[in-house]
Each structure stands twice: as structure tokens, then as C-alpha cells.
Amino acid sequence: MKRFSERQLIGLILTVIISAVVIGLAIFTLANLKVIPANYTLYFYATIWFVGAVLIAYLISEIVKNRLGNFIGASNATSIAFITRLLGYIIAFIGFFLLVHVSIGAALAAGGFAGLVLGLASQTVLSNIFGGIMLLFSRPYKVGDRITISTWQYGLIAPTYPPKFFSNDFLIPGYTGVVTDISLLYTTIYTDDKVPVKIPNSIMVQAAIFIHNSEEVRKIRSKYEVSKDLDPETVIKELKPKIERIEGVLEVDIKVLETTFTTYILGIDTLAKSIFEEPIRDQVLRITMKTIKELQIGNGQKQLAKS
């Protein structure tokens, strides 16, 4: 979503106010000329108020988010902007009924069947709004957090057969990315695939949420196929101290997972401080490939020396 500067937002607010006044004056003129029945003018004015108030509330919340973001952080600024927008929408709603001379109590009491129908029709929207309010106060995540969302509503297709040796041992169906916005209806996540995803707040309230941060310690498994010409004890002895020197790696455990007729599979488990798995796995595999190549060259030279 395009972010407007504060000057542009103020300009848009003034445009909305001026447009509302001009349209109101036009309706007033048409009513005096008997083009529009006088009985309907209040409804026109109420509609102008409601639309204008909603737009202004949205624009003011964006100004609040932009101005406070540098002082109290993007997460707190988003929360205050959320409350500002919600209050603005409530004021717009109340003002609409006051302009048409209907009290809120009377409007709720007289809703009856129409209110029931509208309630059922808008239950998804309302659940998203209440979900957004719950997220605001419970704060399971905040703007700027990198999270993984796993939920049955957006299940992904995972293989039902055992994965091959070079794949992950388990799969978490979900979406991973950085939270960029929390609005009344949606939470926006900028995924690791560089695609923004908007997820309804009602689903976010029900989802399993994995929070990733710089202090996260995660187990990362890398697998590598080695020829049986190399003794596994020798390979592990040479490989382990090199992997332990990788920045962020806390523990290293190397074991033989399975064998074929001519090779065996090494499982290299690293416990590391890292938000992402790939950078650590990349370094582990690079070091492993280089070490295996050095050992193979050394073996070849020994065999030549013996012959």
C-alpha cells in the first residue's frame, strides 16, 4: 500500500471537508429550488457526514501513525492509530443517527428483523473488527515482528510420503513474513517470498502464531551424502570443529542417519541463534562440501603413496 506524507494526508483531509461542504451547499440549493424534496435533505446530509467522517478518521489515523512512529515505535503508533480510527468510525455512526433524528437506543430497539438480517450478513465483518480489537489488547504480535501463521483455514498441501534425505524432516503449513500493518479488518504480512498477504483478524485470533526474533534459538538440520570410502568417524572429527566456528552456532551434533550400498547420510544438527534457517544451513553445507573434498584428496594421495 502506498504511504502518503503528512502534507499529502492533510491535503486530503481538507479536500474531503471542502468537498462535503460543496456537496452540502449543492443539496441545500436544490432543496430550495424544490428539485429535491425537503424531507430527504436530512438523509443526504447524514450520508455526507458519515462518508466524510469515516474518510477523515482514516486519514487522521494515518497521520497519527506517521507522526508517532518515530517517537514511540511503529508497533505502538499502529495501536494508537487503530484506536483513533475505531473512535472516528463510532463518532461517524452516532452522528448519522443524530442527524436523521433517531436515537441510538431507538435504532437498536427498532432494528428487529432488519437488524437480525444485517447482523447475519455482516457477521464476518464484525468478527474481523472484534478480532482486531482483541489483537490490539492481547498483542500476541506487533508491527515489525517476523511471524509464521499456521491455521486450518489456509491449509497447504504437504507430502504424505516420507521426505527424501535432502528435504526437511517436518513441514509446518503456514505463511512466514514480517507484520507491516494491523487494521480494523486485516493484518498485513510481507512474506519471505516478497508478497504482501492480508489475513482477516478473525482468522489471526484463531491461528497458531510462531514469533521469530533475534534471540530465537532454533535447531537446524542439514543432510549430506558421503561416499563409504571415507570413514564416518574421521569425517565427523574433521567437520564438527569447523561448523562450531560459524557465527551464531551454539551446539553441533553430527550422526549417521542411514546408508545406501555405496554411501551414508550424515545428519548435521546445529543449535543456532538465527531468525532464518537458510543462512546457517548454507554455511554448514559449504563447509561440509569443502571438508569432504579435502578428505577425498587426502585419501587419494595416501592410496597413491601406498602404490
Side-chain angles (χ1 to χ4, degrees):
M1 179 181 176
K2 181 181 177 181
R3 292 293 181 186
F4 294 99
S5 66
E6 186 173 327
R7 180 174 296 181
Q8 289 174 318
L9 291 171
I10 293 174
L12 288 172
I13 290 174
L14 293 175
T15 301
V16 171
I17 294 173
I18 293 171
S19 300
V21 171
V22 170
I23 295 173
L25 289 174
I27 292 173
F28 178 77
T29 303
L30 292 174
N32 286 336
L33 295 174
K34 307 300 183 182
V35 176
I36 298 177
N39 295 336
Y40 294 115
T41 55
L42 284 180
Y43 297 100
F44 283 112
Y45 292 147
T47 302
I48 294 170
W49 158 262
F50 184 79
V51 173
V54 167
L55 290 174
I56 291 173
Y58 173 80
L59 294 172
I60 290 176
S61 70
E62 290 296 308
I63 292 176
V64 169
K65 186 190 301 184
N66 292 345
R67 176 161 291 193
L68 296 182
N70 296 329
F71 297 100
I72 61 176
S75 174
N76 294 325
T78 300
S79 298
I80 295 175
F82 183 100
I83 294 172
T84 302
R85 191 177 305 174
L86 181 62
L87 290 175
Y89 292 169
I90 292 173
I91 292 171
F93 181 79
I94 293 173
F96 176 84
F97 285 105
L98 291 178
L99 286 172
V100 295
H101 301 301
V102 177
S103 67
I104 302 298
L108 294 175
F113 179 74
L116 177 62
V117 172
L118 289 175
L120 291 173
S122 62
Q123 62 180 342
T124 301
V125 175
L126 293 175
S127 65
N128 287 335
I129 292 174
F130 285 112
I133 294 172
M134 289 186 64
L135 291 173
L136 173 66
F137 290 103
S138 62
R139 294 174 68 86
Y141 54 84
K142 59 184 182 297
V143 172
D145 281 350
R146 181 173 179 268
I147 63 176
T148 296
I149 303 300
S150 181
T151 173
W152 62 268
Q153 289 95 334
Y154 298 142
L156 302 180
I157 299 175
T160 56
Y161 52 84
K164 296 181 180 179
F165 74 89
F166 51 80
S167 68
N168 294 332
D169 290 330
F170 61 90
L171 297 172
I172 298 176
Y175 300 88
T176 301
V178 177
V179 179
T180 58
D181 187 38
I182 304 172
S183 65
L184 276 175
L185 299 177
Y186 296 97
T187 292
T188 304
I189 299 174
Y190 192 68
T191 66
D192 291 349
D193 296 324
K194 310 301 180 186
V195 177
V197 175
K198 289 182 176 291
I199 302 178
N201 288 330
S202 58
I203 290 177
M204 294 298 292
V205 170
Q206 306 173 50
I209 302 171
F210 301 81
I211 308 294
H212 308 292
N213 56 55
S214 59
E215 297 301 316
E216 178 181 5
V217 176
R218 60 194 308 162
K219 181 181 178 182
I220 302 168
R221 166 160 287 185
S222 308
K223 297 182 181 181
Y224 196 85
E225 189 173 14
V226 183
S227 171
K228 284 186 176 179
D229 294 336
L230 297 178
D231 178 49
E233 296 296 333
T234 303
V235 173
I236 293 172
K237 183 179 178 180
E238 290 290 326
L239 196 56
K240 188 172 181 179
K242 294 180 180 180
I243 295 176
E244 287 175 340
R245 289 195 289 269
I246 297 175
E247 184 179 357
V249 171
L250 305 176
E251 295 179 15
V252 179
D253 182 29
I254 306 176
K255 57 179 74 70
V256 177
L257 299 180
E258 56 183 290
T259 64
T260 67
F261 289 110
T262 58
T263 63
Y264 56 89
I265 311 301
L266 283 181
I268 308 168
D269 293 330
T270 55
L271 196 64
K273 277 189 176 183
S274 176
I275 296 180
F276 300 95
E277 290 187 5
E278 288 76 12
I280 299 294
R281 185 178 288 118
D282 172 69
Q283 294 185 65
V284 168
L285 292 175
R286 286 173 184 265
I287 290 173
T288 303
M289 287 188 288
K290 186 176 180 181
T291 302
I292 297 299
K293 186 174 181 180
E294 290 172 351
L295 290 173
Q296 287 174 336
I297 293 173
N299 263 10
Q301 290 175 348
K302 287 180 182 179
Q303 290 176 0
L304 287 174
K306 287 181 180 180
S307 61

